């Protein structure tokens, strides 16, 4: 992520000097910067969501430290981290979609069932919640024309 450092430093400088006025403008520019960080992030083959969340968290700490009074920065960073977590859960749920669902607890013996694995109640609840959630940050930012962002 070294190629992102000039963009991050520039935005940190703007926040320190209070060149960005208004919570809406700060939140929008923070979201756009974090979107750039996400798109430039190089992910390994294992634990991609955790690595991306760590990168976003590190950038967020720099931004929050630049102007701790501006709450929109921290709120935007936390929202992006939440979206990453939701997408990871959604991806995991899609990967195990072929599993059967049972109502028995983990400690009960279910020797009468076939050998197919079962979904836990937590995974089922998260999968149902994902079906009802609001549009993602990526969808919202894709609607903004590039000319307005500059």
């Amino acid at each position: 992520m070294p190629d992102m450092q000039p963009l991050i430093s520039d935005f940190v400088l703007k926040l320190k000097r209070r060149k960005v006025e208004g919570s809406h403008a700060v939140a929008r520019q923070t979201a756009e910067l974090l979107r750039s960080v996400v798109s430039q992030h190089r992910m390994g083959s294992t634990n991609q969501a955790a690595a991306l969340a760590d990168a976003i968290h590190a950038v967020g700490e720099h931004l929050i430290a630049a102007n701790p009074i501006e709450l929109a920065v921290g709120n935007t960073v936390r929202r992006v981290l939440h979206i990453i977590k939701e997408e990871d859960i959604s991806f995991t749920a899609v990967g195990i979609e072929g599993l059967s669902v049972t109502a028995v607890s983990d400690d009960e013996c279910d020797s009468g069932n076939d050998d197919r694995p079962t979904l836990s109640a937590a995974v089922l609840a998260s999968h149902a919640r994902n079906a009802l959630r609001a549009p993602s940050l990526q969808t919202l930012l894709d609607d903004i024309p590039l000319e307005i962002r500059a």
Side-chain angles (χ1 to χ4, degrees):
M1 200 168 55
D3 51 340
M4 289 301 302
Q5 201 57 42
L7 288 174
I8 295 169
S9 298
D10 182 47
F11 189 57
V12 165
L13 192 60
K14 286 180 183 178
L15 287 174
K16 282 183 180 179
R17 294 182 178 170
R18 298 177 195 252
K19 297 288 183 182
V20 184
E21 294 183 15
S23 295
H24 182 72
V26 170
R28 173 167 280 174
Q29 288 185 20
T30 302
E32 290 172 359
L33 177 69
L34 293 178
R35 184 171 83 172
S36 298
V37 170
V38 167
S39 67
Q40 295 293 323
H41 186 71
R42 307 286 185 249
M43 294 190 216
S45 60
T46 59
N47 211 359
Q48 297 174 354
L52 181 59
D54 290 342
I56 294 294
H57 191 268
V59 171
E61 284 180 345
H62 291 304
L63 298 178
I64 292 169
N67 190 354
I69 295 175
E70 185 56 67
L71 299 177
V73 173
N75 290 342
T76 305
V77 170
R78 281 188 293 277
R79 176 70 178 135
V80 170
L81 289 171
H82 181 74
I83 291 169
I84 291 169
K85 179 182 171 187
E86 281 184 340
E87 289 298 321
D88 185 42
I89 290 171
S90 175
F91 181 73
T92 303
V94 167
I96 58 176
E97 203 166 63
L99 301 177
S100 64
V101 179
T102 61
V104 298
S105 66
D106 291 340
D107 56 348
E108 291 180 13
C109 179
D110 57 337
S111 58
N113 290 349
D114 58 349
D115 292 334
R116 293 187 337 174
T118 60
L119 286 174
S120 70
V123 171
L124 185 61
S126 71
H127 191 62
R129 183 181 65 234
N130 285 339
L132 300 174
R133 69 177 171 202
S136 69
L137 181 65
Q138 180 71 34
T139 306
L140 294 174
L141 289 176
D142 282 342
D143 294 339
I144 301 171
L146 289 175
E147 300 83 36
I148 295 176
R149 293 183 205 163

